[in-house]
Each structure stands twice: as C-alpha cells, then as structure tokens.
Amino acid sequence: MTGVFSLLPDGRHGLLPQSPGSAAGSSSYEDSSRYLAAGGYAPASAPGTLLDRIGAAGLRGRGGAGFPAAVKLRAVRDAPGTPVVVANGEEGEPGSVKDRWLLRYRPHLVLDGLRLAAAVTGAGRGCVYLSDAQAEQAVLRALAERPAGLRVDVVRTPHSYVAGEESAVVRRIDGGPALPTAKPPRPFERGVGGAPTLVANVETLARVALLHSRPEAAAEVVGAHLVTLSGSDGRSALAEVPAGTRLDALADAWGHGKAEAVLLGGLFGGLHGAGWADLPLDLEGLRAAGGALGCGALYFLHPGDCPVGVASEATAYLAAQSARQCGVCVSGTGALAGALSAVARGTADPGTPDRLRRWSGQLPGRGACGLLDAAARIAASLLTHFPDRLDEHRDCPGCAGAAAPEDGRRFLVAVP
C-alpha cells in the first residue's frame, strides 16, 4: 500500500487531510479530543433541517448501490415503530479498504454520523456492524470516549462477501447467520428486532457528519469518493477524489498509467478494455458505460495481464462465496465460474462463449443478493470488451492448465 492520498479540488496531490471537508486523514487513530476540536459532535440541527440538507446536497450511499441517502432516511423515519440505525462496516469486496480504514482511524466521524442519523429518524438504538478486529477495538475505544448519548452496540460478524448485504446485516444482529433473506420486507420496513432499520455504509455516515459540521463545504463533501486503487504490480492506495475524475488521471497518479484495462467497483462493475481511460468516476457515467462504481474499488490490468484469467479468478471467488441459499445462485455462479475456468485453461468447447452470453443475460436479478449479478456482469463484460481473447486463449502462457484460486487473493488489498 503506497499510502492515503487526495485529489480534492482545493488540495494538491498528496497526503491527507487537505481540507475540512475531507473524510480521510492520516493513518493514526483520531481520538475524541482531536475530533471535538475540529467541530465534531456539534449539537444536532432540527431533524427536518438536517434531512433537507442531506437531500439538497444530493448525498448518495457509498456501499455500492448509490441510493439517495435522504430517501432512505425518510423511509425509516416515516415507518411505524421506533427505528434502529446501523453503521455497516463489513466490506465484502476483497479489493476495498475504505470502510475498515474509517473505522480504524476515524471512528468518531462514523459514530457522529450514526448519532445524526438517529436524530433524523428518531431511532432509539444504534449498532456498528463489522468483522475487522482492529476496527472493533477502535470503535470500542471511541465509544468509551464520546459524549453520552445514543445507545450503540458493536456486532462482529465472520467475514464473507455477502455478510454486508443489508438483510444479512439484520439477520446477524438478530442472532442469526450473516446471510441474505428474501425481500420484501426490506430493513426499512422491518429490520432489527422487527423495527424499521437504517443500514447505512460507514462512509455514507461519515459524510452525513461532515455535512452537519461543514455545511459550507457541502459540494466537496458530497462530490468526493473514497476509492481503493490496486493492480497486478502490487501498487495500491486509498484515495479521496472528486466525482467525475477520469480514470486515466487516477491511474497516472498512482503508478498504473500503463494499464490496459480496469475491473470496476470491486467485483461488481465488470471489466472495461478500450476506452476505459476516458471513463469518469461517477455513478451515472459508469452506469452509462455499462459498468458500476460499486464500493469504489478499481483494479488495473497491466500489460501482460490476461483479462480471461482475471475474470476466471473473480467468478471462482464469487462462486465460492455464494451463501448457498438460492439454487439459481449456486448453479449460476458455478456454471459461469466453470465455463470461464475452462476458457482460461484452454479446454473450453466452441459453444462456451454462446453459453456465457446466454447465462450473463438470463441470471441477473434472480438471486437474493447481488453476488450472482456480479458474476454475470463479469462474464458479460469480458464478452463485450475482449471477445477475441476467448477465441485466442488456448495459447495464453499465463493461464494454460492453471486452476483459478477461490480465495480472491489477486484482488486483496491491505488497509494502509
């Protein structure tokens, strides 16, 4: 990991923090005295005022779906019963580190956002949900330091790709396994203990706290994203960058300027080849290009990297991480991973591309969570951006005969 950097508009390219509107900072624990001195834990505005501010700023969730934060808060507030608010810090994506970083080094910022979300919704209880031991210790320390207020419990879960899905979060907090459930009802309707529940990504809550303490910097707060950058050469960084930044600017800034392709949004946004450098880092721009921002993790493929091998490893990991509750997910991810593994090993039959094309069109939306969709998008994007590589792959020296590992090791990034 090369560090934590900023490309915010009013800061130079360098170590964070660069401005009061930044969600990041140095990789050392920010205690309550530092956080209070910076304006943290300021008295809450009237609930309606803060909710209107969040809506006017256009804050969207940072857990992957990009859902408008104000809409989600309002739905929980308006549901019958006394709500529960949850800070979701379980990062299922192997290539993302932003949530663990926030919980380890800026837990007060997250707890402040949780406090404000409780004020907006009228919640009587909060939870911090995580799997990282170092993050858990930092959060417990911060809870002991913070001003008295909302009851907050810390719930630790075994790590898995699906453990951070919102219904899995609710199920685990209620004492069950961290596995998704069928919807409806969604957590905002009936969640923890049957109460309406806000499950919010920790970066989303951090930006709620910044909007409250730095209203003059609303555009910067909402327009910035924490992203994890990595690649096959081992270079990685956690960066805070403004929405709309071209991907080639990110690649150049962190040593991936020679990359020939990128895997977007962790494992959720698919592979992009020609034209990837011109893509903007924002929800709508990537969606229009057939990708997704997801959790903001970008994996750069350098010259010599085989996109077929990357796709095979990604789908093998997803198949291994299936909750094994939905038959269509078990069979679908298994079929996609098996077909891509055969292509990678050079043993696929001529009909494999057609089967991959058919499956990648039929499978999305049929599972209880987004895991099956991610696997289908990877296959579809490989066919779209690298169709020739499937036909030519029998001669790939880096993949021939090799079985794709199921542990996602290629995509793993250490927390800075």
Side-chain angles (χ1 to χ4, degrees):
M1 176 66 78
T2 55
V4 186
F5 297 94
S6 174
L7 274 180
L8 292 180
D10 61 349
R12 61 181 180 83
H13 169 209
L15 286 173
L16 287 165
Q18 298 298 327
S19 75
S22 171
S26 63
S27 290
S28 62
Y29 176 83
E30 180 184 43
D31 62 21
S32 60
S33 61
R34 285 170 56 196
Y35 186 64
L36 287 164
Y41 293 121
S45 310
T49 300
L50 180 55
L51 183 56
D52 289 344
R53 182 182 299 167
I54 294 168
L59 178 64
R60 289 178 173 267
R62 302 304 166 85
F67 194 76
V71 174
K72 199 170 184 179
L73 285 160
R74 190 172 288 111
V76 173
R77 181 199 65 181
D78 294 344
T82 302
V84 176
V85 288
V86 179
N88 183 7
E90 168 51 10
E91 285 179 304
E93 290 283 0
S96 179
V97 299
K98 69 182 181 67
D99 296 336
R100 282 171 290 164
W101 190 93
L102 284 168
L103 290 173
R104 288 183 183 189
Y105 303 117
R106 298 211 68 187
H108 284 289
L109 183 64
V110 176
L111 292 175
D112 200 1
L114 190 66
R115 170 188 72 101
L116 294 165
V120 167
T121 59
R125 177 191 174 193
C127 294
V128 179
Y129 177 84
L130 45 73
S131 64
D132 180 62
Q134 189 172 335
E136 180 183 29
Q137 292 305 309
V139 171
L140 290 171
R141 177 179 171 184
L143 285 170
E145 295 173 345
R146 69 177 178 138
L150 177 72
R151 169 194 164 189
V152 176
D153 302 312
V154 178
V155 177
R156 189 166 169 186
T157 183
H159 171 74
S160 74
Y161 187 84
V162 300
E165 192 273 338
E166 62 175 6
S167 66
V169 173
V170 168
R171 194 173 180 184
R172 176 64 178 173
I173 293 172
D174 277 342
L179 299 174
T181 58
K183 277 79 71 179
R186 291 195 172 274
F188 79 87
E189 299 168 305
R190 189 166 71 247
V192 175
T197 300
L198 175 77
V199 180
N201 173 262
V202 297
E203 185 189 351
T204 309
L205 293 171
R207 297 199 181 277
V208 167
L210 289 169
L211 277 173
H212 177 61
S213 63
R214 306 289 180 182
E216 76 286 354
E220 178 186 317
V221 169
V222 170
H225 291 265
L226 286 171
V227 296
T228 311
L229 310 172
S230 62
S232 59
D233 65 351
R235 291 176 182 264
S236 58
L238 176 63
E240 186 170 35
V241 298
T245 302
R246 280 173 41 135
L247 298 194
D248 60 351
L250 296 179
D252 289 342
W254 285 284
H256 298 288
K258 295 182 179 179
E260 296 181 342
V262 63
L263 181 62
L264 287 169
L267 304 183
F268 190 74
L271 285 159
H272 284 255
W276 71 267
D278 297 326
L279 294 176
L281 186 87
D282 65 59
L283 292 165
E284 299 307 326
L286 294 180
R287 187 176 293 139
L293 179 58
C295 63
L298 306 178
Y299 179 87
F300 293 100
L301 280 68
H302 288 247
D305 289 335
C306 176
V308 175
V310 171
S312 178
E313 290 188 37
T315 52
Y317 173 75
L318 291 169
Q321 288 290 306
S322 171
R324 313 198 74 77
Q325 296 183 133
C326 306
V328 68
C329 179
V330 175
S331 60
T333 56
L336 289 165
L340 286 171
S341 177
V343 174
R345 294 196 311 270
T347 60
D349 63 67
T352 298
D354 286 338
R355 287 194 295 275
L356 283 169
R357 190 170 290 105
R358 184 173 68 253
W359 293 337
S360 63
Q362 294 174 341
L363 292 174
R366 298 183 62 187
C369 68
L371 184 144
L372 180 58
D373 293 17
R377 192 192 294 265
I378 288 169
S381 63
L382 180 69
L383 291 164
T384 298
H385 290 271
F386 303 97
D388 56 320
R389 299 297 290 266
L390 275 74
D391 295 333
E392 301 170 357
H393 200 263
R394 291 182 184 276
D395 300 320
C396 178
C399 297
E406 298 180 346
D407 55 9
R409 69 186 70 169
R410 175 192 287 269
F411 311 106
L412 289 173
V413 177
V415 181

